[in-house]
Amino acid sequence: MAVASFVFGVVGLLTMSVVLGPAALVLATLALRRGTTRRYRAWLGMVLGVADLVVLVAVVDLNNAVSWSF
């Protein structure tokens, strides 16, 4: 679960941060509660999940839409 949260967090920065950001947070929390041996990867997944949500809020605030536009 720690690796999945990390991957979801990285991919969520580029696309689908609405879904992958919260998923990364949930998976990282579950991994840490279950006592994973990959604690740093779980923490990175949690930080990236929060970053996904921050990027999403910034994009929504700047573009008034829940999508990327260049």
Side-chain angles (χ1 to χ4, degrees), residues 7-67:
V7 170
F8 282 1
V10 169
V11 174
L13 284 174
L14 303 173
T15 180
M16 293 181 53
S17 58
V18 173
V19 175
L20 295 179
L25 288 172
V26 168
L27 287 175
T29 303
L30 288 173
L32 289 171
R33 283 195 178 188
R34 290 186 177 186
T36 184
T37 57
R38 299 176 184 205
R39 295 185 62 78
Y40 293 114
R41 188 100 14 119
W43 280 108
L44 278 173
M46 189 173 289
V47 168
L48 287 170
V50 169
D52 290 347
L53 296 177
V54 168
V55 167
L56 176 66
V57 168
V59 167
V60 168
D61 188 40
L62 292 174
N63 295 336
N64 296 325
V66 186
S67 65

